[in-house]
Amino acid sequence: MARRGIRSITVPITFGAVTVPLSVFLLVGWTTFTARNIAESGEVAQNVWLLILGVLSLIVIMSVLVMFSIFLVREILEVRRQDSFIDSVTHELKTPLASIKLCLQTLERSGIPQDKRAALQKMMHHDVDRLATFIDDVLQASRLAHDDMSMDVDEVRLGELATSCAAVVSMRHKVPEGAIRVEVDPELVVWTDHAALEIVLRNLIDNAVKYSKDGVDVRVGARVDEVRRVVFIEVRDAGIGIPRKDLKRIFHRFYRVAEEGVRARKGTGLGLFVVSALVRNLGGHVEAESDGVGKGAILRVRLPMHEHEQASRAVASPA
Ligand SMILES: Nc1ncnc2c1ncn2[C@@H]1O[C@H](COP(=O)(O)OP(=O)(O)OP(=O)(O)O)[C@@H](O)[C@H]1O
Ligand SMILES: [Mg+2]
């Protein structure tokens, strides 16, 4: 992990090690040259061209240094994000593996009652599912980063899909019944890639629950804008909220808000990167809204209502 970090910032550090002494050398050279010329001729006016050249060089050097500083800060932030990503990945892999190992060790003991065996096996299934989902997400993010994907157009019943995603998230976070409410017209049909929209909804609902405070209160809604021919899907929560300055950054790869409430919850900073890439590929857009820390959040996805013969009949049609 450490070696990866060191290697990543080697380029800007080498760049700095060359440009800074070079800049100093050029400045000292220019000052000495100008001073000598003025001393020899005694005329400042005759050396105006030297002054202009000097000022121009200074501007170039300062620009290079400013660009270098920005580049270095970006690289350092990226390295930090990669490090925290690797920490999170390690945690996400180790926790279910440790749990499976413990279950296996318990099952190996003799005299375990049948109901306890069944409970342990259920726990192991849950951990294996968690591992599989996590690995899928990481692979998906990697594919998306290389734009390696194709999209299908399926008839998706939005209410059904949202309800099944909510059920998966409820089970994962063990939230009480009714904590996630899906308020979507059961007849609402969207023509889009089913698998992609499922990943999008699962991630948004997962975040809404994960970043909730004690009482989970998540609502998933949808509305159709017939004029603009788009569908809006909203996932609202009453959780820890998102600072205004982070509303766009949370869609960057590995980005996690630097707040205690976020650090206390495990995550890799990949979920919303995946969401935004998938939604973009579906021809839509995703945005976050929040009144600030502690004030909940709304994640809103806009998807086009494809000018599909069946779509125009099916979207939002009455029962
Ligand atoms: N509903 C929300 N409420 C508050 N903050 C949120 C919410 N959704 C996302 N965030 C912020 O956006 C960041 C990025 O979210 P994202 O889903 O990409 O990563 P993650 O949840 O940290 O990890 P994972 O990759 O496991 O989903 C989060 O770390 C969190 O700071
Ligand atoms: Mg997430």
Side-chain angles (χ1 to χ4, degrees):
M1 195 199 310
R3 228 182 308 138
R4 184 191 171 94
I6 289 163
R7 210 172 40 229
S8 299
I9 51 171
T10 302
V11 175
I13 291 207
T14 313
F15 181 67
V18 174
T19 50
V20 171
L22 191 70
S23 315
V24 172
F25 174 76
L26 285 173
L27 273 176
V28 170
W30 172 75
T31 314
T32 318
F33 184 66
T34 313
R36 195 183 297 157
N37 252 22
I38 291 171
E40 278 171 10
S41 63
E43 279 289 338
V44 178
Q46 283 174 5
N47 292 297
V48 164
W49 65 272
L50 272 181
L51 285 173
I52 293 171
L53 195 69
V55 170
L56 285 178
S57 328
L58 194 63
I59 291 172
V60 170
I61 289 166
M62 293 309 283
S63 312
V64 169
L65 284 178
V66 168
M67 272 160 49
F68 164 69
S69 307
I70 295 172
F71 184 58
L72 186 62
V73 168
R74 278 197 181 166
E75 282 292 304
I76 290 171
L77 288 178
E78 179 65 18
V79 168
R80 272 204 207 153
R81 284 205 288 264
Q82 283 178 10
D83 281 351
S84 86
F85 167 69
I86 292 168
D87 286 347
S88 305
V89 167
T90 312
H91 170 88
E92 288 290 320
L93 293 175
K94 277 175 97 174
T95 311
L97 280 177
S99 160
I100 292 170
K101 192 174 170 189
L102 197 70
C103 288
L104 281 173
Q105 283 167 346
T106 317
L107 281 173
E108 275 162 13
R109 279 194 233 134
S110 54
I112 305 273
Q114 196 50 42
D115 57 335
K116 179 114 194 266
R117 278 184 176 276
L120 287 169
Q121 275 162 357
K122 196 173 164 198
M123 211 187 282
M124 283 165 67
H125 269 293
H126 175 74
D127 286 326
V128 169
D129 284 349
R130 182 174 160 189
L131 271 177
T133 309
F134 176 68
I135 290 166
D136 280 352
D137 285 352
V138 173
L139 291 177
Q140 181 82 13
S142 160
R143 270 199 296 273
L144 289 168
H146 297 97
D147 276 341
D148 173 19
M149 60 181 164
S150 59
M151 295 282 163
D152 294 326
V153 179
D154 313 303
E155 179 183 359
V156 181
R157 292 202 164 266
L158 194 56
E160 258 174 42
L161 182 62
T163 307
S164 81
C165 292
V168 171
V169 175
S170 291
M171 208 156 85
R172 182 176 180 198
H173 292 278
K174 301 186 180 77
V175 294
E177 213 174 304
I180 308 175
R181 283 174 287 159
V182 177
E183 298 166 347
V184 179
D185 179 351
E187 296 302 319
L188 180 54
V189 173
V190 182
W191 287 86
T192 192
D193 187 296
H194 187 282
L197 189 55
E198 185 174 355
I199 296 172
V200 167
L201 288 177
R202 191 165 36 78
N203 269 293
L204 296 183
I205 301 173
D206 184 77
N207 279 349
V209 172
K210 181 161 75 173
Y211 299 109
S212 280
K213 292 182 255 179
D214 278 348
V216 177
D217 180 15
V218 173
R219 266 182 297 151
V220 184
R223 67 186 164 83
V224 174
D225 183 334
E226 289 286 358
V227 180
R228 292 166 64 195
R229 313 283 306 147
V230 289
V231 183
F232 289 97
I233 306 169
E234 282 186 355
V235 179
R236 288 170 180 263
D237 65 67
I240 62 170
I242 304 167
R244 190 173 290 271
K245 66 174 176 40
D246 289 311
L247 288 173
K248 285 205 161 62
R249 293 185 198 155
I250 55 172
F251 297 99
H252 295 177
R253 195 153 53 132
F254 304 143
Y255 192 83
R256 304 196 79 217
V257 173
E259 291 279 339
E260 191 42 45
V262 174
R263 273 192 292 271
R265 294 155 166 93
K266 285 289 162 194
T268 53
L270 276 179
L272 288 184
F273 167 75
V274 170
V275 165
S276 115
L278 286 175
V279 170
R280 211 172 35 245
N281 275 276
L282 295 174
H285 176 75
V286 57
E287 64 184 11
E289 193 185 309
S290 173
D291 287 336
V293 176
K295 300 199 172 144
I298 305 173
L299 271 287
R300 187 176 299 114
V301 174
R302 189 193 69 218
L303 288 179
M305 284 164 63
H306 289 289
E307 298 302 327
H308 196 284
E309 192 216 333
Q310 289 142 299
S312 50
R313 275 192 278 116
V315 171
S317 65

